[in-house]
């Protein structure tokens, strides 16, 4: 009887509908300075409570989303900062912000985008929600250099019906190293993002970050067919959508790591 009751409770939670199940996967590798990590946190805090984001949530079919916030670095370093939480109004968003603001972000070695994507995929299985869309929103300042090939893991998630959107950080404001690539936006387009309506928004200066996060959330919530998407497209530089045929070497990060000639293991 107890087992039956628990099973029914799980089914009841899983049946709760939301417009989107959204994983915010945020890079905290050592290549980013403490100041940059703080800018990231503040950017998400501002975006989640922004009027246009809350409006986009309210205008959804169910008027609510489920979100979780994860920080990641190497293959085995993923920390859930905010567990799955419903946002339907400002009070909900402010509760998420309180959790984000409770502790300063940590950082760790290496950059495993594939590890972050695999971890995010597992999170959907335990979300307790049924979203019209499932989206991983992943940011990072370098290519994958640890774990499985990122394009292979990307394709696995896409087969599960998960969309991956990207926020490549091309700021060069932290600890620059031989692992940087000059075409990170192209790398994200060809190797990281994928799924229905997938897109990425590059960040070239840290001053752009808060607006990029806000815009990205609005586009994810609204979708390409909505009037809000058209408004954002008219007001800002073009969003780069996923391409059919990759032109970038999706293992450039792994190759740079294998060919390294220095001692510091930072990204």
């Amino acid at each position: 009887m107890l087992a039956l009751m628990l099973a029914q409770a799980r089914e009841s939670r899983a049946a709760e509908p939301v417009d989107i199940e959204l994983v915010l996967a945020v890079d905290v590798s050592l290549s980013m300075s403490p100041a940059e990590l703080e800018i990231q946190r503040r950017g998400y805090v501002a975006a989640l409570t922004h009027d246009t984001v809350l409006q986009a949530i309210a205008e959804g079919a169910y008027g609510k989303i489920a979100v979780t916030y994860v920080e990641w670095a190497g293959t085995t370093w993923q920390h859930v900062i905010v567990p799955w939480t419903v946002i339907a109004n400002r009070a909900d968003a402010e509760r998420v912000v309180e959790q984000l603001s409770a502790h300063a972000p940590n950082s760790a070695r290496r950059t495993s985008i594939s590890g972050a994507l695999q971890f995010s995929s597992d999170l959907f299985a335990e979300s307790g929600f049924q979203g019209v869309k499932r989206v991983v929103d992943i940011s990072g300042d370098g290519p994958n250099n640890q774990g499985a090939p990122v394009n292979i893991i990307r394709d696995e998630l896409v087969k599960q019906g998960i969309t991956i959107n990207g926020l490549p950080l091309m700021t060069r404001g932290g600890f620059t190293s031989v692992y940087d690539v000059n075409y990170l936006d192209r790398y994200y387009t060809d190797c990281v993002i994928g799924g229905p309506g997938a897109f990425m928004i590059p960040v070239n200066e840290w001053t752009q970050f808060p607006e990029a996060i806000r815009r990205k959330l609005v586009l994810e919530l609204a979708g390409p067919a909505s009037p809000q998407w058209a408004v954002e497209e008219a007001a800002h530089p073009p969003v780069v959508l996923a391409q059919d045929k990759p032109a970038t070497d999706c293992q450039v990060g792994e190759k740079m790591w294998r060919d390294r000639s220095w001692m510091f293991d930072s990204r």
Side-chain angles (χ1 to χ4, degrees), residues 40-94:
Q40 280 197 127
R41 278 282 188 93
R42 290 201 303 268
Y44 282 99
V45 164
L48 288 168
T49 54
H50 197 283
D51 287 342
T52 56
V53 173
L54 295 175
Q55 178 184 353
I57 293 172
E59 291 177 353
Y62 296 104
K64 58 183 177 180
I65 68 171
V67 62
T68 181
Y69 186 100
V70 179
E71 292 180 339
W72 60 271
T75 50
T76 61
W77 205 98
Q78 300 93 21
H79 287 184
V80 175
I81 307 303
V82 180
W84 284 109
T85 305
V86 169
I87 298 180
N89 50 49
R90 183 174 294 278
D92 293 337
E94 289 176 349

Side-chain angles (χ1 to χ4, degrees), residues 200-202 204 208 211 215 219 232-240:
M200 71 93 189
I201 299 178
N204 296 298
Q208 300 172 354
E211 178 63 19
R215 183 186 178 208
L219 294 179
E232 292 289 342
E233 284 285 75
H236 299 279
V239 169
V240 180

Side-chain angles (χ1 to χ4, degrees), residues 28-163:
V28 293
S29 56
L30 285 175
S31 55
M32 300 181 68
S33 70
E36 290 174 334
L37 295 177
E38 188 58 33
I39 290 172
Q40 280 197 127
R41 278 282 188 93
R42 290 201 303 268
Y44 282 99
V45 164
L48 288 168
T49 54
H50 197 283
D51 287 342
T52 56
V53 173
L54 295 175
Q55 178 184 353
I57 293 172
E59 291 177 353
Y62 296 104
K64 58 183 177 180
I65 68 171
V67 62
T68 181
Y69 186 100
V70 179
E71 292 180 339
W72 60 271
T75 50
T76 61
W77 205 98
Q78 300 93 21
H79 287 184
V80 175
I81 307 303
V82 180
W84 284 109
T85 305
V86 169
I87 298 180
N89 50 49
R90 183 174 294 278
D92 293 337
E94 289 176 349
R95 280 192 288 271
V96 172
V97 164
E98 286 177 6
Q99 294 180 73
L100 278 180
S101 304
H103 303 286
N106 293 316
S107 59
R109 304 163 82 181
R110 304 294 292 270
T111 300
S112 182
I113 301 173
S114 59
L117 292 179
Q118 288 176 309
F119 185 82
S120 298
S121 175
D122 292 340
L123 288 175
F124 288 116
E126 58 188 48
S127 74
F129 300 97
Q130 184 64 49
V132 177
K133 296 188 295 182
R134 292 184 295 167
V135 176
V136 177
D137 181 336
I138 190 161
S139 65
D141 73 340
N144 193 77
N145 65 30
Q146 190 180 40
V150 64
N151 55 316
I152 292 177
I153 301 304
R154 181 268 314 275
D155 293 344
E156 290 180 359
L157 266 68
V158 170
K159 288 178 182 177
Q160 298 172 36
I162 298 170
T163 295

